[in-house]
């Protein structure tokens, strides 16, 4: 071993051969190997900690949010004939359009009757056990079955936020005691809450739902897609296939690359100043939100589209040109269909980013309190991320689980979109 | 007739034009054996374009011109004699009359508006009908003219393709329009702001309290230095202290050490971190991280710890940035020629020595470029700081203290019902302009650094 350093030509080396067995050398090697292991361990822990953070985030949201999909309900006996409702049964069959039955039931004192029933059933403070919107559930039950009005019947109504969180094990001592008491009487149940998916915003955490925000998100995404996809694809085609190399196309290219890196809130300022300030489009509308997000998404689609078009081999273009196709036919009949899977992947990723975006939509006023889902593109609307933001500001503790539950819904959508993008990329990936 | 119905009608005419022209072109082909430059569908599209485009152009022009014409007609009505003189009041009465005529409101505030409403409705329906008839006539006339032009040797293809090229060009110009729109709107509003507040006060003032702006000296409450400091402190210091080591070490581990299988799974998992919406990070920071940070500060004896600390926002933002740093580092490490690594390993260096002494120095410009892009991303990030940082602008180095950022202040200034020309709302645009310029410069520097580095090994 110690002769390794000697040169074969017999020339004497200018220093003594290294003796690898000396203690100093062994120590040095051990130190170097330890450093190697440390370095490697640092790398591994960086990966593990980063992934761990993601897992922690997801698990926290899931644990907080899972209970948001459930709701505690109380079985409330109401003696309708004795409740003193001043109601003409004919009004219940009035025009559903104008909310005739709703108005009639509200005017008949149903809210007061519900509270009175709660006091009769659960003691002097019984009405505090119910959610503020409990009477709405009674109203819906009556509307569904007017025959109830003639009988003493039991209606399941949502419990108040305090009782709800106590039943899920996070309430105050007083509420816990009440829940235990109600549990002994067998009138309290906690189950899946379908209203969370079908209701809209409310001031009462036991009554809120995400349908309004989800519909707003859907409208906004439709506008974004309809604008960003054609414009993005067409400009990618122009820049990659036809554009002469001159100062103008350089300018376009630089603009697009820049737009992709502009902070999203700047697009919100643009939407505020141009769409609302100059064109006077309706505030808070899905239309304006979609326009703003389209400007943000378009550069993403252009960049993805150009990469996809670039990867179509020139031989395909040459073959088409050789049989007499015009440049337009070459692109629209041959290049575009081959590049489409790549463009679609980029589009889905861009849309996923737009779906999760909040800041620019706050700028154009999509933070209003919306109790009903939008019907048209120009109606005031809110979107899912903004709804999450609004709920996160609520002081009422019941909103924590609702916020996390809405986050779960949003993440499910995003992961599904990203998963679809990855699937498409793998399925259509072609190597020429 | 409503605009939507009119558009459908024009589209229908276009479809008819396409079909008839196509049928005619197919007829040419049957009748002769000559060589054609265009397919039947080209002829069809040519006629359809001539049917659609002039009519649509006319509709666009008409819908911007006709309101003024309607108003002119209404002003000649007898009831208009009682109108107040031209000005704000007159415009208000007229718009009320218009709303009544369109059935948007029922009660009226002003009796003259009620009297003018029928005149309004009549004028509107007249001009609507004129517009509809003219548009349809135009569509028919231009379509028929185009139809008469198509002949066996007519080169419809060149003409159609010229239009397609124009559409493509217009699509790509939208990017420039957007950029111009951003710059123009920011500049315009900022210019109005700097007429009220001297630019020096804004850029160098150290006191920021937009809640109370003294009318005689608005500049004294709108000094943005604490915001710039807070943005820098949270986005470029705390976030990067998290993101750079974790991102860089993850990239090194995944490119140099990890088995291909591990790499295939871990890389997308880390990328999910970049795909989580920022509002989720913000909620997480405010709900989970901020209280933990405050407890930590109290337990190590910091006497005054804010529950909205710079540290909480910065930490979470750093985690969000990890994938940006790691994918840029990944790219630039992969771009280092394998011969350099092999040479170092052959000399007896351990892999970690090779990475630290050979690969990282060679990849450094790319890594630096990636870090600059990540900083630009971090200082433009909004929701995390809106939800986790405080609104109090302070100049402090204490990471447990509160700090506020430019983006947080933009949101605070613009949400709430403020007038469009108060210094408060305009300040948001000035902040936006600053943010735009800074991120733009960072991006340009980063791209230049990366580009110069790439040239070194090609």
């Amino acid at each position: 071993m110690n002769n390794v350093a000697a040169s074969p030509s017999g020339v004497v080396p200018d220093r003594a051969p290294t003796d690898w067995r000396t203690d100093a050398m062994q120590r040095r090697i051990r130190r170097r190997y330890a450093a190697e292991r440390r370095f490697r361990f640092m790398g591994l822990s960086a990966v593990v900690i980063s992934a761990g953070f993601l897992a922690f985030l997801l698990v926290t949201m899931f644990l907080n949010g899972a209970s948001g999909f459930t709701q505690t309900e109380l079985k409330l006996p109401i003696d309708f004939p004795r409740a003193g409702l001043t109601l003409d049964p004919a009004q219940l069959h009035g025009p559903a359009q104008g909310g005739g039955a709703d108005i009639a039931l509200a005017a008949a004192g149903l809210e007061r009757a519900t509270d009175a029933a709660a006091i009769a059933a659960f003691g002097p403070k019984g009405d505090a056990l119910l959610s503020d919107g409990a009477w709405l559930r009674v109203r819906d039950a009556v509307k569904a079955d007017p025959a109830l009005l003639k009988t003493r019947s039991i209606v399941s109504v949502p419990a108040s936020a305090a009782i709800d969180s106590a039943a899920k094990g996070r309430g105050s001592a007083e509420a816990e005691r009440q829940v235990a008491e109600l549990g002994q009487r067998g009138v309290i149940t906690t189950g899946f809450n379908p209203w969370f998916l079908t209701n809209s915003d409310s001031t009462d955490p036991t009554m809120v739902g995400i349908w309004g925000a989800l519909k707003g998100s859907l409208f906004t995404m439709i506008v974004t897609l309809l604008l960003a996809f054609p414009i993005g694809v067409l400009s990618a085609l122009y820049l990659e296939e036809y554009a002469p190399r001159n100062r103008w196309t350089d300018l376009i290219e630089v603009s697009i690359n820049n737009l992709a890196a502009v902070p999203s809130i700047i697009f919100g300022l643009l939407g505020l100043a141009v769409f609302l300030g100059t064109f006077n489009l309706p505030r808070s509308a899905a239309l304006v939100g979609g326009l703003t997000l389209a400007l943000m998404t378009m550069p993403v689609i252009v960049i993805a589209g150009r990469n996809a078009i670039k990867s179509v081999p020139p031989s395909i273009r040459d073959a088409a040109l050789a049989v007499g196709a015009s440049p337009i036919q070459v692109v629209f009949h041959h290049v575009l269909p081959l590049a489409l899977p790549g463009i679609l992947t980029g589009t889905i990723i861009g849309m996923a980013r737009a779906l999760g975006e909040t800041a620019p939509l706050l700028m154009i006023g999509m933070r209003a309190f919306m109790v009903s889902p939008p019907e048209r593109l120009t109606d005031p609307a809110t979107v899912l991320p903004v709804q999450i933001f609004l709920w996160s500001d609520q002081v009422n503790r019941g909103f924590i689980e609702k916020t996390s539950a809405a986050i779960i819904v949003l993440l499910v959508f995003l992961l599904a979109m990203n998963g679809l993008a990855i699937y498409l990329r793998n399925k259509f990936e072609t190597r020429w | 007739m409503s605009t939507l119905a009119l558009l459908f009608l024009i589209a229908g005419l276009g479809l008819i034009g396409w079909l008839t022209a196509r049928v005619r072109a197919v007829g040419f082909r049957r009748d002769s054996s000559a060589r054609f430059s265009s397919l039947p569908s080209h002829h069809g599209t040519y006629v359809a374009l001539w049917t659609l485009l002039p009519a649509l152009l006319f509709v666009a022009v008409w819908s911007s011109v006709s309101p003024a014409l309607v108003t002119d007609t209404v002003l000649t009505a007898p009831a208009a004699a009682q109108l107040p003189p031209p000005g704000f009041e007159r415009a208000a009465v007229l718009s009320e009359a218009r709303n009544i005529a369109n059935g948007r409101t029922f009660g009226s505030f002003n009796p003259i508006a009620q009297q003018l409403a029928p005149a309004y409705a009549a004028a509107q329906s007249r001009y609507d009908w004129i517009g509809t008839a003219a548009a349809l006539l135009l569509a028919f006339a231009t379509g028929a003219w185009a139809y008469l032009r198509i002949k066996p040797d007519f080169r419809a293809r060149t003409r159609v393709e010229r239009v397609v090229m124009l559409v493509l060009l217009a699509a790509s110009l939208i990017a420039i329009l957007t950029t111009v729109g951003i710059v123009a709107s920011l500049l315009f509003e900022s210019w109005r702001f700097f007429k009220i507040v001297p630019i020096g006060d804004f850029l160098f003032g150290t006191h920021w309290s937009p809640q109370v702006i003294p009318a005689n000296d608005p500049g004294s409450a709108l000094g943005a230095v604490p915001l710039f400091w807070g943005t820098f402190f949270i986005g470029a210091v705390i976030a990067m202290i998290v993101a750079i080591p974790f991102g860089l070490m993850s990239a090194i581990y995944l490119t140099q050490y990890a088995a291909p299988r591990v790499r295939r799974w871990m890389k997308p998992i880390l990328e999910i971190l970049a795909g989580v919406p920022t509002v989720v990070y913000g909620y997480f920071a405010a709900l989970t991280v901020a209280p933990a940070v405050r407890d930590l500060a109290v337990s190590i004896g910091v006497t005054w710890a804010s529950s909205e600390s710079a540290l909480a926002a910065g930490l979470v933002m750093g985690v969000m940035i990890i994938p940006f740093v790691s994918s840029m580092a990944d790219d630039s490490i992969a771009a280092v020629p394998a011969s350099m690594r092999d040479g170092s390993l052959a000399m007896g260096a351990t892999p970690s020595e090779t990475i630290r002494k050979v690969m990282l120095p060679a990849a450094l410009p790319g890594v630096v470029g990636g870090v600059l892009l990540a900083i630009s991303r971090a200082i433009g990030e909004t929701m995390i700081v809106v939800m986790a940082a405080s609104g109090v602008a302070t100049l402090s180095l204490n990471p447990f203290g509160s700090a506020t950022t430019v983006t947080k202040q933009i949101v605070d200034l613009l949400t709430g019902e403020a007038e469009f020309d108060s210094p408060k709302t305009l300040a948001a645009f000035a902040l936006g302009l600053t943010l735009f310029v800074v991120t733009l410069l960072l991006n340009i520097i980063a791209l230049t650094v990366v580009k110069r580095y790439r040239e070194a090994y090609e």
Side-chain angles (χ1 to χ4, degrees):
Chain A
M1 269 306 270
N2 45 4
N3 290 333
V4 165
S7 109
S9 57
V11 179
V12 181
D14 54 357
R15 68 169 193 193
T18 309
D19 184 356
W20 291 80
R21 281 171 305 193
T22 58
D23 280 350
M25 206 61 197
Q26 289 289 333
R27 259 202 313 279
R28 186 184 281 174
I29 292 172
R30 268 200 303 278
R31 221 171 38 236
R32 285 176 65 199
Y33 281 176
E36 169 70 25
R37 278 194 301 274
R38 271 201 307 277
F39 189 76
R40 191 180 168 139
F41 178 73
M42 271 161 58
L44 180 61
S45 36
V47 175
V48 169
I49 292 175
S50 307
F53 188 92
L54 179 68
F56 180 53
L57 177 96
L58 296 180
V59 168
T60 309
M61 287 306 151
F62 186 77
L63 290 182
N64 274 332
S67 60
F69 292 102
T70 60
Q71 169 69 43
T72 306
E73 299 204 328
L74 295 174
K75 291 199 182 72
L76 177 69
I78 305 182
D79 195 352
F80 285 107
R82 294 210 194 138
L85 294 176
T86 51
L87 184 68
D88 175 11
Q91 283 176 295
L92 284 183
H93 306 289
Q97 216 66 37
D102 289 0
I103 295 169
L105 282 166
L110 195 64
E111 186 169 6
R112 192 174 36 73
T114 308
D115 285 348
I119 290 170
F122 308 123
K125 283 188 181 157
D127 55 336
L129 297 180
L130 301 189
S131 150
D132 290 343
W135 72 278
L136 294 171
R137 203 64 60 72
V138 179
R139 182 188 76 186
D140 290 345
V142 170
K143 263 165 52 184
D145 182 13
L148 279 181
L149 286 174
K150 297 188 181 69
T151 58
R152 183 175 189 279
S153 43
I154 292 175
V155 183
S156 276
V157 296
S160 73
I163 295 296
D164 187 42
S165 40
K168 291 165 185 167
R170 281 197 305 263
S172 63
E174 167 71 6
E176 299 265 8
R177 195 185 51 74
Q178 287 171 323
V179 168
E181 201 174 290
L182 293 166
Q184 278 172 357
R185 292 173 55 186
V187 292
I188 190 166
T189 51
T190 301
F192 177 67
N193 176 14
W195 286 278
F196 182 67
L197 298 178
T198 56
N199 276 7
S200 288
D201 202 1
S202 163
T203 49
D204 182 353
T206 56
M207 299 297 293
V208 297
I210 54 168
W211 174 238
L214 214 53
K215 200 171 172 191
S217 273
L218 185 72
F219 280 3
T220 310
M221 288 297 106
I222 288 174
V223 175
T224 304
L225 186 66
L226 286 183
L227 285 170
F229 183 69
I231 295 177
V233 172
L234 291 180
S235 49
L237 282 178
Y238 179 76
L239 290 176
E240 203 53 48
E241 293 288 326
Y242 305 113
R245 293 274 153 246
N246 60 27
R247 205 179 298 161
W248 283 103
T249 47
D250 279 353
L251 191 64
I252 296 177
E253 217 175 308
V254 170
S255 305
I256 286 176
N257 288 333
N258 254 329
L259 282 181
V262 168
S264 61
I265 192 168
I266 302 282
F267 285 95
L269 290 176
L270 172 77
L272 178 65
V274 174
F275 299 136
L276 297 188
T278 309
F279 295 140
N280 283 321
L281 292 173
R283 212 176 149 78
S284 311
L287 176 69
V288 181
L291 279 168
T292 309
L293 292 182
L295 294 181
M296 224 183 81
T297 314
M298 189 212 36
V300 179
I301 299 181
V302 174
I303 292 171
R306 290 188 65 174
N307 287 334
I309 293 166
K310 212 181 278 175
S311 67
V312 175
S315 58
I316 287 176
R317 297 180 183 83
D318 295 343
L321 285 171
V323 295
S326 71
I328 298 273
Q329 285 170 326
V330 169
V331 165
F332 282 91
H333 296 180
H334 301 277
V335 177
L336 189 56
L338 290 173
L340 210 52
I343 298 177
L344 282 182
T345 314
T347 306
I348 295 171
I349 290 171
M351 293 300 290
R353 193 184 293 177
L355 177 63
E357 198 54 72
T358 321
L361 301 179
L362 291 184
M363 297 288 93
I364 55 162
M366 290 184 91
R367 57 181 282 149
F369 175 71
M370 294 298 153
V371 283
S372 57
E375 294 298 326
R376 276 171 310 206
L377 290 181
T378 48
D379 284 350
T382 190
V383 295
L384 205 43
V386 177
Q387 186 75 78
I388 290 168
F389 174 64
L390 292 177
W391 284 351
S392 75
D393 256 2
Q394 297 276 355
V395 279
N396 194 327
R397 271 197 61 84
F399 271 106
I400 292 181
E401 58 173 30
K402 299 295 174 185
T403 312
S404 304
I407 285 176
I408 293 175
V409 174
L410 181 63
L411 286 178
V412 164
F413 272 102
L414 288 181
L415 291 183
M417 284 168 87
N418 283 315
L420 182 66
I422 292 172
Y423 171 77
L424 280 179
R425 185 157 55 200
N426 291 343
K427 185 169 162 69
F428 291 104
E429 195 170 49
T430 331
R431 291 193 187 283
W432 278 291
Chain B
M1 187 182 286
S2 79
T3 318
L4 197 65
L6 179 60
L7 292 182
F8 267 113
L9 213 60
I10 295 175
L13 277 181
L15 188 66
I16 293 172
W18 189 81
L19 285 173
T20 48
R22 195 176 178 282
V23 167
R24 184 161 178 210
V26 170
F28 295 149
R29 301 209 154 208
R30 243 197 331 271
D31 297 343
S32 95
S33 57
R35 293 169 61 87
F36 297 97
S37 81
S38 309
L39 294 170
S41 65
H42 286 131
H43 291 284
T45 313
Y46 176 75
V47 173
L49 283 175
W50 265 109
T51 317
L52 291 174
L53 292 183
L56 292 180
L57 199 67
F58 174 79
V59 170
V61 172
W62 185 253
S63 61
S64 64
V65 169
S66 67
L69 294 175
V70 169
T71 312
D72 280 351
T73 318
V74 170
L75 289 180
T76 61
Q82 309 158 24
L83 272 175
F88 177 74
E89 217 176 319
R90 183 179 199 150
V93 175
L94 286 174
S95 93
E96 201 177 337
R98 184 164 55 236
N99 282 341
I100 298 171
N102 291 338
R104 267 186 235 142
T105 48
F106 298 101
S108 90
F109 181 69
N110 196 314
I112 310 174
Q114 197 71 55
Q115 291 170 23
L116 277 178
Y120 233 114
Q124 241 168 14
S125 83
R126 191 162 84 229
Y127 279 105
D128 264 3
W129 279 113
I130 294 176
T132 306
L136 292 181
L137 214 62
L138 189 66
F140 191 75
T142 49
W145 177 76
Y147 181 78
L148 292 177
R149 282 191 76 188
I150 54 173
K151 296 195 174 58
D153 58 347
F154 180 67
R155 295 183 175 272
R157 186 170 89 168
T158 15
R159 283 153 207 272
V160 169
E161 292 189 344
R162 207 175 293 154
V163 175
V164 175
M165 285 302 279
L166 278 179
V167 171
L168 290 177
L169 182 63
S172 49
L173 284 179
I174 291 196
I176 288 200
L177 276 182
T178 312
T179 314
V180 169
I182 289 178
V183 174
S185 59
L186 290 180
L187 274 180
F188 179 68
E189 306 286 343
S190 306
W191 179 66
R192 284 169 61 192
F193 175 71
F194 289 131
K195 274 200 304 194
I196 307 172
V197 176
I199 189 163
D201 284 8
F202 174 72
L203 285 182
F204 304 113
T206 54
H207 179 65
W208 177 268
S209 60
Q211 293 79 16
V212 194
I213 300 174
N216 52 353
D217 182 17
S220 65
L222 293 172
V225 170
L227 310 188
F228 299 149
W229 166 249
T231 310
F232 176 77
F233 190 48
I234 292 181
V237 179
I238 301 178
M240 289 305 134
I241 288 176
V242 177
I244 295 174
F246 280 96
L248 198 55
M249 287 310 291
S250 301
I252 288 172
Y253 185 79
L254 289 179
T255 50
Q256 304 296 319
Y257 289 113
R261 218 179 121 78
V262 176
R263 180 181 155 81
R264 205 168 55 233
W265 279 97
M266 289 312 288
K267 214 170 135 68
I269 287 179
L270 289 191
E271 275 163 9
I272 293 179
L273 279 176
V276 172
T278 52
V279 67
V280 176
Y281 279 117
Y283 183 63
F284 185 68
L287 188 78
T288 311
V289 180
V293 165
R294 193 192 46 208
D295 294 348
L296 176 79
V298 171
S299 71
I300 62 171
V302 179
T303 46
W304 190 79
S306 165
S307 63
E308 296 179 314
S309 59
L311 189 59
L315 279 179
V316 175
M317 193 186 274
V319 170
M320 187 194 88
I321 299 290
I322 288 175
F324 294 97
V325 177
S326 80
S327 70
M328 286 298 282
D330 199 325
D331 287 349
S332 47
I333 290 173
V336 176
S339 57
M340 286 175 74
R341 192 186 61 171
D342 296 348
S344 167
L345 290 174
M347 295 288 283
T350 62
S352 69
E353 285 162 351
T354 306
I355 292 164
R356 274 179 301 178
K357 304 262 168 65
V358 178
M359 309 208 39
L360 276 187
L364 199 61
V367 173
V368 171
V371 168
L372 286 179
L373 283 180
I375 292 178
S376 134
R377 186 107 195 170
I379 65 175
E381 168 46 44
T382 311
M383 290 322 290
I384 295 177
V385 289
V386 166
M387 294 164 84
S390 81
V392 188
T394 51
L395 272 170
S396 111
L397 259 174
N398 174 12
F400 297 110
S402 60
T404 193
T405 67
V406 171
T407 48
K408 157 104 178 146
Q409 290 301 319
I410 294 178
V411 172
D412 283 359
L413 291 173
L414 284 180
T415 49
E417 296 304 318
E419 285 297 313
F420 227 110
D421 44 5
S422 74
K424 205 172 154 182
T425 26
L426 293 178
F429 284 92
L431 287 176
L433 182 66
T434 324
L435 182 66
F436 180 73
V437 170
V438 171
T439 49
L440 194 64
L441 286 179
L442 274 175
N443 290 334
I444 292 173
I445 295 171
L447 290 179
T448 321
V449 169
V450 172
K451 203 185 245 172
R452 197 164 286 171
Y453 150 75
R454 286 229 172 101
E455 279 163 6
Y457 292 112
E458 269 171 1

